[in-house]
């Protein structure tokens, strides 16, 4: 809790545009305050593990009011028949849950929590809920699959 308050106190105001490296540092610190280890991946996003799943926070210094956390490669698509089932399950996820998109990329299923925030300093208030809804999305996907 103390680390989260420190991260919040040092967060920039939404009037200031943050650079890519500032956003990376901010997101990394926020995850650390939540007890999560992270690193900067080859795309410049902040990758981490949560409940044994791989996720990343997309770093977008052009639109700092847009926030996206992605749980990637949750289910491989191994046949055309399976792809039909996967698309139905992905549709159910997007239909049943708020702010979650389920989609396929390179024969795998990805889930994303996407929302607009006034600025990065507002992320601490919704990060836990985003992670929770992504866990819920996995459950819905598996149930519908």
């Amino acid at each position: 809790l103390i680390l989260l308050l420190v991260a919040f106190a040092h967060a920039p105001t939404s009037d200031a545009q943050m650079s890519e490296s500032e956003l990376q540092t901010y997101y990394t610190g926020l995850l650390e305050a939540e007890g999560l280890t992270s690193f900067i991946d080859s795309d410049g996003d902040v990758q981490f593990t949560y409940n044994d799943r791989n996720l990343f926070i997309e770093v977008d210094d052009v639109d700092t009011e847009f926030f996206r956390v992605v749980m990637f490669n949750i289910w491989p698509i191994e046949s055309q028949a399976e792809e039909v089932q996967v698309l139905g399950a992905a549709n159910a996820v997007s239909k049943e849950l708020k702010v979650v998109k389920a989609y396929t990329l390179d024969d795998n299923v990805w889930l994303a929590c996407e929302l607009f925030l006034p600025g990065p300093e507002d992320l601490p208030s919704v990060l836990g809920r985003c992670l929770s809804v992504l866990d819920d999305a996995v459950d819905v996907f598996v149930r519908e699959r």
Side-chain angles (χ1 to χ4, degrees):
L1 181 60
I2 292 172
L3 289 174
L4 187 57
L5 292 173
V6 169
F8 183 75
H10 293 292
T13 63
S14 56
D15 296 336
Q17 189 72 12
M18 294 176 71
S19 70
E20 179 182 51
S21 64
E22 289 171 325
L23 283 169
Q24 291 167 335
T25 300
Y26 179 66
Y27 293 152
T28 300
L30 179 60
L31 292 168
E32 184 178 308
E34 293 292 323
L36 301 169
T37 314
S38 63
F39 65 92
I40 309 305
D41 67 18
S42 62
D43 293 328
D45 298 319
V46 178
Q47 190 169 329
F48 63 103
T49 302
Y50 176 76
N51 288 345
D52 297 323
R53 300 232 181 245
N54 295 317
L55 296 91
F56 65 85
I57 297 175
E58 181 178 298
V59 176
D60 183 353
D61 61 345
V62 174
D63 186 358
T64 57
E65 294 179 349
F66 177 69
F67 172 72
R68 179 186 340 213
V69 61
V70 179
M71 184 180 287
F72 59 97
N73 297 336
I74 69 156
W75 191 281
I77 303 169
E78 298 174 346
S79 70
Q80 285 184 332
E82 185 175 38
E83 184 175 18
V84 172
Q85 293 173 336
V86 161
L87 293 175
N91 188 50
V93 168
S94 297
K95 178 182 161 200
E96 289 183 33
L97 298 171
K98 297 174 184 174
V99 307
V100 175
K101 291 182 181 178
Y103 55 96
T104 63
L105 182 65
D106 297 328
D107 292 326
N108 219 305
V109 177
W110 291 35
L111 303 170
C113 176
E114 298 182 352
L115 39 116
F116 293 110
L117 298 172
E121 70 278 4
D122 297 295
L123 181 56
S125 65
V126 297
L127 180 61
R129 189 160 180 195
C130 284
L131 296 175
S132 176
V133 76
L134 287 169
D135 276 344
D136 293 344
V138 171
D139 293 341
V140 171
F141 179 84
V142 170
R143 180 190 76 217
E144 295 294 322
R145 173 49 201 97

